[in-house]
Amino acid sequence: MHIKFKMRILIVGKKSFIAQNFIKKYSKQVKFFYFNQYFPDNYNEFARKISLYISKKKINHILNFIGNNDNSPFPINGKNILRDNFVLPLVLVNLFKQKKINFTFFLSTEIDKVDKPNENSLYSLSKFFLQDSLRFFSTKNNISFIKIDNVYGPHDLNFNRLVPSLMLKFLFYNKKIKVNFAQKKKLVYVKNLLPIIFKTFKNKKTFNIINVKGKTYNISKLWKNINKALLNKHKSISKNNACYNFIETLMWYKHNLSVIKKEAKKYHKTI
């Protein structure tokens, strides 16, 4: 895609592994700016500073990667889930609702569980609240929502997640790293997501929801297939191989082993 001018995009939450992949891919095509201040419960000062920053830098699109992904039934910091997933986006839209600034936010397919008492969570509710609140929000902005399954790929250092935990088991052969192999999971490779995010910069709709469906993997079968692919060290793995994206992810972890070890110890003290 060719762009006539270099867009001025504000990234909020650049530490997100999706953000890091996105910045790396598009930094030559887009002028990125970063606002790194923490979003607190009392957010008046945050709102004042980000408003000044956006005016000064003449930002025309805000891409928000901040999100609290704790979807456990009984989260320890429940109020933080609502603050990060619901309050922050509403604050941003409200601040700039009369300006020509557009937005990209992320939803989750966890929203589909809100009507299921045994499966819903505060996380799914926070995303549902966000979607429905902004649907009826009077604004001049064009807002894109990317509704997505679980994302995996390079730079993900959250070892509470499935794929990073799998990568650790491959790297360290550690039996104490627990992974539930008896499950099926819908997964989206981060590099397949990036062009979809990029296209939202050209969104012309006031309210636009983009559904990104993951591919369903049998985790036990996936584990066996990756092991099988790795056994033959002299044979290159084709991009058509179902395991290719996971092998590519594993190679990133392997090439960044010192960082991996440091971060993994926060989750698994036996690394």
Side-chain angles (χ1 to χ4, degrees):
M1 181 184 292
H2 296 284
I3 299 177
K4 294 180 181 180
F5 63 95
K6 209 166 188 180
M7 291 179 289
R8 302 172 72 84
I9 309 298
L10 180 68
I11 299 282
V12 182
K14 74 171 186 178
K15 291 183 179 179
S16 154
F17 88 95
I18 301 176
Q20 290 180 54
N21 281 277
F22 188 77
I23 293 164
K24 182 178 180 181
K25 182 173 176 65
Y26 292 111
S27 58
K28 292 182 179 179
Q29 295 168 263
V30 177
K31 179 66 175 176
F32 288 122
F33 297 85
Y34 308 99
F35 191 78
N36 300 319
Q37 185 173 323
Y38 179 73
F39 184 70
D41 294 329
N42 186 355
Y43 51 79
N44 291 333
E45 185 66 8
F46 174 95
R48 184 185 72 82
K49 287 184 177 180
I50 196 170
S51 183
L52 288 172
Y53 185 83
I54 284 172
S55 295
K56 181 181 178 181
K57 300 297 183 182
K58 298 179 181 178
I59 301 298
N60 48 41
H61 197 107
I62 299 174
L63 177 51
N64 178 45
F65 286 101
I66 289 179
N68 189 315
N69 297 318
D70 185 354
N71 63 354
S72 59
F74 305 103
I76 297 173
N77 296 310
K79 69 174 185 176
N80 293 351
I81 296 174
L82 287 173
R83 181 195 64 203
D84 298 342
N85 297 347
F86 176 57
V87 178
L88 171 59
L90 258 64
V91 167
L92 291 175
V93 174
N94 190 53
L95 273 174
F96 305 109
K97 63 183 178 181
Q98 298 301 323
K99 297 186 178 182
K100 295 289 185 178
I101 296 173
N102 298 325
F103 296 90
T104 300
F105 297 119
F106 291 89
L107 298 177
S108 169
T109 53
E110 292 284 313
I111 286 177
D112 300 334
K113 297 179 180 180
V114 293
D115 293 328
K116 302 174 183 178
N118 296 327
E119 296 182 40
N120 67 10
S121 63
L122 192 56
Y123 171 76
S124 60
L125 285 170
S126 70
K127 293 294 187 178
F128 175 78
F129 292 156
L130 174 62
Q131 173 187 277
D132 267 30
S133 295
L134 291 182
R135 189 189 298 272
F136 304 105
F137 209 85
S138 179
T139 174
K140 290 184 177 180
N141 318 110
N142 295 328
I143 302 174
S144 294
F145 290 100
I146 300 177
K147 184 180 178 184
I148 190 168
D149 286 312
N150 296 282
V151 184
Y152 73 95
H155 297 281
D156 189 355
L157 299 178
N158 183 346
F159 294 99
N160 280 330
R161 284 200 270 255
L162 172 63
V163 174
S165 294
L166 280 175
M167 298 298 105
L168 285 185
K169 287 186 79 72
F170 280 117
L171 290 171
F172 301 110
Y173 305 102
N174 194 327
K175 294 180 180 180
K176 292 184 179 180
I177 297 173
K178 295 182 180 180
V179 175
N180 178 13
F181 290 102
Q183 63 172 312
K184 291 183 179 180
K185 202 80 169 177
K186 288 185 177 181
L187 300 171
V188 177
Y189 187 43
V190 67
K191 293 186 179 180
N192 295 334
L193 174 64
L194 304 182
I196 297 170
I197 300 173
F198 186 79
K199 286 180 181 179
T200 64
F201 298 156
K202 289 295 185 178
N203 172 42
K204 301 299 182 183
K205 298 179 181 178
T206 301
F207 192 88
N208 183 35
I209 296 181
I210 304 159
N211 289 288
V212 182
K213 297 292 185 181
K215 181 179 178 181
T216 302
Y217 291 91
N218 179 310
I219 302 306
S220 178
K221 186 176 180 180
L222 174 65
W223 173 262
K224 292 175 183 177
N225 288 341
I226 295 175
N227 274 294
K228 184 178 178 181
L230 291 172
L231 280 175
N232 194 339
K233 297 180 180 179
H234 302 291
K235 185 179 179 181
S236 60
I237 300 170
S238 166
K239 287 188 177 182
N240 295 324
N241 190 304
C243 297
Y244 180 83
N245 293 337
F246 293 94
I247 301 296
E248 189 174 62
T249 300
L250 180 61
M251 291 304 103
W252 180 86
Y253 281 85
K254 192 172 183 179
H255 294 151
N256 294 274
L257 209 53
S258 59
V259 177
I260 301 304
K261 285 182 178 180
K262 182 180 177 181
E263 290 298 316
K265 284 180 180 178
K266 297 176 183 178
Y267 300 85
H268 304 282
K269 299 187 183 301
T270 56
I271 295 298

